Amino acid sequence: MTKRTLWQLLWRHYRVIVLTGIVALLLAGIKEGYSIVQRPSLYIAVNETSFTLTSANGIRMGLVVSILVSLVIGVVLFLNDNFTNFDQYLFSLPVPRRQIYRRKIGLLIGTVVSAYVLAEAIYGLITWRVLVNRHVGVNWVGSIYEEVEILALIITLSLVAATFGLWVGRVFASALATFVFTCSLPFAYDGLINIVAGVTGQTYRQADILGTLSSQHPSGLLIVLVICGVISGGLYWLNQWAFDHLSLENGQDFFRFPQLRGAVLSFSIGYLIIAISCSQFGAGIVGLLTDHYKPQLPLVTFILLTIAVAYLTWSLGALVLISTGPVPGCLDVQEAGVTIESV
C-alpha cells in the first residue's frame, strides 16, 4: 500500500470530524471579525496606535474554539476507532503501525494548523477595515510572533488530547480526563513555580521566567517554541510507542496498557499534589473550608493537604483500575478469591 492510498483511506474515514473542525474555526473567525466591525470600541482601545491580531480586549473566541477543536479532534482520531472497529482494519493492512500513526498525527496537526491559519486570515481581513478607519497600524512582526506561539500551544494540546484518546479506552473517561488535565495545567504551572521559588529561595516573580517573557520578542518566542517542542516531541514518541504496542484485546478497557498502571497512578498522584497542594487552588480550598485565606499555606496544613490529595488520588485510581487489572498495593480480585477459598 502506497502512502497516498493510506492518506486517502484515513481522509475518507475522518473527513467528517476534520471538516467539522475546520468549519467551526472559520465561523469563529468570521464571528470574531464582525464583532469588532459592529462594536470596535469594545475590542480596540481609544488611544490604540499599534494593534496585533491577538490583542483584542477580552477572551478571544477564535482562541477558545481553536483549543476545543484541537482537543476534540485529537481524542476522536484515536478513540473513535475502538467503537467502529476501524483499528482492526488498519492493523490488518500491509503497513507498519508506525506509518499509520505518523499519518494520523500528520492529519491532526495539518487540520489544526490549516484551520487556525485560515480562520485568522479571515479575521484579519475583516478587522482591517476597522483599523484603517480608526487610523490604527498593525504590528505585523508582533502579530506573527504571537500567532506562532498560539500555534505551538495548540499543537501541543492536540497531542495531549491524542494521548488520552490513545491510552484511555472509554469515551466519557477520555473526554473527562482531557478536560480536567487541560484546565489544571495553569494550577500545575503555579505549583511548579512555587516549588522552584521555595527551593531556590527566590520570590515567585523571580522564579516565574515565562511570566516575564515578551510574546513580541524573539527570545520569548524561542523559549516558548523550545518548551512546546520538547513537550510535543516527548508526547509524539510516547504515543508512537503506545501505538506500536497497542493490543486490541484491551481496546474497551479503561486503561489500555495494563503493564503501566502503577506508573500512571504514581504520575497522577505527583501531578495532582503539585497542581493542588502547591498552587493557589489548594490555598483557595483551604481558605474556603476555614474562612481564612492565606496565599502561602502553613507547613502543617500543606502536609495534611498533600496526604489527603495523595490518598484520594490513590483510592480513586485503585477503584477505577481494579476492574481492568491489579493495582500496586491492592490485592487482585481473583487472588482474593483464591485466598478466601483456601482458608
Side-chain angles (χ1 to χ4, degrees):
M1 176 177 286
T2 63
K3 296 180 179 179
R4 182 176 181 180
T5 304
L6 181 58
W7 269 114
Q8 292 174 347
L9 178 64
L10 294 176
W11 168 253
R12 285 197 300 267
H13 186 74
Y14 300 116
R15 59 187 175 186
V16 174
I17 182 63
V18 168
L19 291 176
T20 301
I22 293 176
V23 171
L25 269 175
L26 294 180
L27 292 177
I30 295 173
K31 169 62 173 62
E32 194 171 22
Y34 277 107
S35 296
I36 296 179
V37 170
Q38 293 175 359
R39 305 186 68 180
S41 59
L42 293 178
Y43 301 93
I44 303 176
V46 177
N47 298 323
E48 186 75 47
T49 58
S50 180
F51 185 83
T52 61
L53 296 179
T54 59
S55 62
N57 295 332
I59 299 177
R60 286 198 54 202
M61 178 181 179
L63 178 59
V64 175
V65 175
S66 300
I67 294 176
L68 292 177
V69 168
S70 65
L71 295 178
V72 171
I73 296 180
V75 170
V76 171
L77 281 184
F78 289 93
L79 183 62
N80 185 60
D81 294 346
N82 287 338
F83 306 96
T84 60
N85 295 325
F86 187 61
D87 52 356
Q88 299 182 16
Y89 173 71
L90 288 177
F91 294 160
S92 66
L93 296 175
V95 180
R97 287 193 180 187
R98 184 164 298 185
Q99 185 175 345
I100 299 173
Y101 169 78
R102 290 174 179 174
R103 297 297 173 270
K104 278 192 170 188
I105 294 297
L107 181 62
L108 170 62
I109 296 178
T111 300
V112 171
V113 172
S114 60
Y116 182 79
V117 171
L118 288 175
E120 287 298 287
I122 294 175
Y123 161 72
L125 290 175
I126 296 175
T127 309
W128 176 260
R129 184 176 63 182
V130 178
L131 298 177
V132 171
N133 294 334
R134 297 174 70 92
H135 304 287
V136 177
V138 178
N139 184 355
W140 291 109
V141 175
S143 297
I144 293 175
Y145 284 175
E146 292 177 352
E147 295 289 5
V148 171
E149 288 184 3
I150 293 175
L151 275 176
L153 174 63
I154 292 175
I155 292 174
T156 304
L157 290 178
S158 66
L159 290 175
V160 170
T163 303
F164 285 105
L166 180 60
W167 290 67
V168 181
R170 298 178 185 176
V171 177
F172 178 77
S174 182
L176 181 62
T178 304
F179 176 77
V180 172
F181 181 80
T182 304
C183 294
S184 67
L185 284 176
F187 299 109
Y189 176 77
D190 179 53
L192 184 62
I193 296 302
N194 284 326
I195 293 176
V196 173
V199 172
T200 59
Q202 298 178 325
T203 63
Y204 185 92
R205 290 190 175 183
Q206 291 175 338
D208 185 12
I209 300 177
L210 293 180
T212 60
L213 295 178
S214 174
S215 60
Q216 300 182 17
H217 196 273
S219 61
L221 173 63
L222 180 61
I223 293 176
V224 172
L225 290 180
V226 169
I227 294 175
C228 290
V230 170
I231 297 175
S232 299
L235 291 175
Y236 177 86
W237 293 111
L238 176 65
N239 291 333
Q240 181 176 265
W241 175 90
F243 198 79
D244 286 339
H245 295 80
L246 188 63
S247 175
L248 296 177
E249 296 179 356
N250 302 322
Q252 302 299 323
D253 291 348
F254 179 88
F255 186 70
R256 304 178 70 183
F257 299 91
Q259 68 274 22
L260 297 177
R261 290 191 185 99
V264 171
L265 187 57
S266 300
F267 170 80
S268 301
I269 293 174
Y271 176 81
L272 289 178
I273 287 176
I274 295 175
I276 297 177
S277 301
C278 302
S279 69
Q280 293 299 315
F281 182 78
I285 293 177
V286 174
L288 183 65
L289 295 176
T290 61
D291 294 330
H292 295 286
Y293 175 78
K294 295 182 179 180
Q296 293 183 349
L297 295 177
L299 180 60
V300 176
T301 306
F302 170 75
I303 294 175
L304 293 177
L305 182 60
T306 301
I307 294 174
V309 170
Y311 177 76
L312 290 176
T313 305
W314 180 87
S315 300
L316 292 176
L319 179 64
V320 171
L321 296 177
I322 197 160
S323 60
T324 57
V327 179
C330 294
L331 186 63
D332 184 66
V333 175
Q334 295 180 354
E335 294 178 357
V338 172
T339 303
I340 294 175
E341 290 179 359
S342 61
V343 174

